[in-house]
Amino acid sequence: MGRKDASTSRTPVDQYRKQIGKQDYKKTRPMLRATRLKAEAKKTALGVKEVALVLAAILVFLLAFYAFFYLNVSSEVDLDLDPDEN
């Protein structure tokens, strides 16, 4: 008895979902398959954000590598020059 009463009074959200379900049912199978494949491709595709993050990480690594060797070479050159030798 409780179920019958609950089903007669539908919330607006349930009515909206039912309307969308009817519209999807009217679509043909190839259209539904194409929509599903398009959504899956969008999920799995690499975005610009991911590519930019990878390139930024590589750039930071290379700059750190360069800075490490630059600081090591410049400190060795300073040690070789003694200003009191004049």
Side-chain angles (χ1 to χ4, degrees):
M1 181 96 110
R3 288 187 178 188
K4 187 176 182 182
D5 293 337
S7 66
T8 56
S9 62
R10 293 191 179 177
T11 62
V13 175
D14 289 336
Q15 291 173 354
Y16 177 72
R17 287 179 181 162
K18 187 174 181 180
Q19 287 175 349
I20 290 176
K22 286 180 181 178
Q23 290 172 0
D24 276 348
Y25 186 72
K26 291 177 185 176
K27 293 180 183 177
T28 61
R29 281 184 164 218
M31 289 176 63
L32 291 172
R33 183 179 297 136
T35 304
R36 188 181 76 239
L37 290 175
K38 187 177 178 182
E40 287 177 4
K42 193 174 186 180
K43 285 182 186 177
T44 59
L46 284 178
V48 175
K49 184 190 280 185
E50 289 86 8
V51 172
L53 285 174
V54 169
L55 289 176
I58 291 171
L59 181 65
V60 166
F61 176 74
L62 288 176
L63 286 174
F65 189 75
Y66 176 77
F68 174 75
F69 282 109
Y70 177 76
L71 292 174
N72 280 342
V73 170
S74 64
S75 63
E76 289 178 10
V77 170
D78 291 341
L79 293 176
D80 291 339
L81 296 176
D82 191 14
D84 295 333
E85 289 184 358
N86 291 337

